[in-house]
Each structure stands twice: as structure tokens, then as C-alpha cells.
Amino acid sequence: LDVRMAILDGVLAAEPQSGWQLALSLLPERGGGISHPIRLPSFRTWAQAWKPGGAWPEYNRHIQAVTERLLQHVGDDPSNRWVDLISAMPQLPRPLFDRTLEILEGVQPNEFPEESRKRIADTLRDIVSRHREFSDAKWALPQEAVDRLDAVHQRFLPADLVQRHRYLFD
């Protein structure tokens, strides 16, 4: 993990945009993704001692390390990167979701250009709507988290009523 994170740090330093996209791709996917087990060798004895199962503690440390780097670099291009990070938030483990949301709650909408505020508001609205509509699903965020996201969403809404309700007609 330390070597992988050092490589990610190097890519983020040398190629910020590519590093950002790489870090985002290392986060859990919406829907959880799938994998298929490998075929064990039939003629090798080492496979007999192998037990199936994931390295969950390392996986959790991996997600935490990647999220920390994303939070460190979101300010490099906040107008675009917050949209990416907000989109990934529902898949984060709850402590990382809460930490990211706390930082987002401290962000001032007036520091962003109007178009960026609109994109952030649209992304937040989509997440809030989806999690309210499917609130009884196992993957849905708790009501308290959805309410906090909605409060942030309200702060990013455009002042212009036409822009505020434009999504209804898109």
C-alpha cells in the first residue's frame, strides 16, 4: 500500500489531471463492481493451503489513503474537482463520507464561478433525489446524511429562478 500510494503521489505531482483521474478510478464503484475468482492450479501444492477471502483491512486503508489524497488535491481545481468527488461520495465508507461532507460543508459557494456552482448543485440534487427515492434500499445513505447533503445543495443553488429550475425541463 505504501508503495502504491507513493506512486500515486508521484503521478499527482507530475501529471495532476491524470493523477486525479487515476485516484478517482481507485475508489469503489457505484453498484459495487464485480469480480470472478481465479482458477486454482491443479498440479501445484501451494494452492492447497490457500483460503478464499479478501484483505478487507488493507482494502479499507487503501480507500482511506486514496480519499485523503483526493481531499488534499480537490483545491487544485475546485471548480471541476468537487463535482468528481461529490459523485464518488456515496460509495465511500461512512467515516470517509462524513469527513468529505464536513469539508464540503465548509466550502463557500460564492468562491466558485456560476457554472461550477450549477454543476455542483446538479450533482448534489441527483444524489439527494436518488437516495430519497430509494431510501429503503440497502445501498441508500441514511436520512441524516441525505439531509446534510441537501443543505449543502441548497447553498449552491443558483439565485436565478430559471437556472434553478432548468433541470425540470432538460
Side-chain angles (χ1 to χ4, degrees):
L1 179 64
D2 294 335
V3 172
R4 290 192 311 263
M5 290 304 108
I7 292 169
L8 180 58
D9 289 338
V11 174
L12 282 164
E15 295 290 336
Q17 190 56 32
S18 297
W20 178 259
Q21 292 303 318
L22 173 61
L24 285 173
S25 72
L26 295 174
L27 291 177
E29 295 178 12
R30 183 170 154 197
I34 63 167
S35 67
H36 299 283
I38 61 169
R39 170 97 167 100
L40 292 178
S42 302
F43 303 104
R44 300 284 184 239
T45 57
W46 63 262
Q48 295 170 356
W50 181 80
K51 301 266 190 284
W56 287 109
E58 183 172 345
Y59 176 73
N60 290 332
R61 286 191 0 254
H62 162 85
I63 298 302
Q64 181 171 353
V66 171
T67 303
E68 291 295 329
R69 279 151 179 84
L70 288 168
L71 289 171
Q72 288 171 2
H73 291 277
V74 73
D76 297 348
D77 183 11
S79 295
N80 296 314
R81 290 186 176 184
W82 268 115
V83 173
D84 295 336
L85 194 51
I86 290 167
S87 296
M89 281 177 64
Q91 288 74 248
L92 294 176
R94 189 57 196 264
L96 294 173
F97 173 90
D98 289 338
R99 184 165 187 286
T100 304
L101 183 54
E102 285 173 18
I103 294 170
L104 180 59
E105 287 170 332
V107 170
Q108 297 303 316
N110 58 359
E111 295 175 0
F112 293 89
E114 184 68 31
E115 181 58 31
S116 296
R117 285 198 308 266
K118 182 186 174 312
R119 289 180 50 227
I120 291 170
D122 289 347
T123 304
L124 286 164
R125 184 190 58 253
D126 290 346
I127 293 170
V128 168
S129 298
R130 184 175 345 112
H131 286 268
R132 284 196 172 145
E133 182 176 357
F134 298 103
S135 60
D136 57 344
K138 283 182 9 182
W139 52 262
L141 293 169
Q143 184 64 42
E144 168 267 323
V146 174
D147 290 344
R148 287 177 64 195
L149 279 172
D150 191 32
V152 175
H153 167 247
Q154 297 300 320
R155 291 181 33 233
F156 277 90
L157 284 174
D160 178 38
L161 288 177
V162 172
Q163 290 300 318
R164 183 179 287 219
H165 298 291
R166 182 179 177 174
Y167 75 95
L168 293 170
F169 302 98
D170 282 347

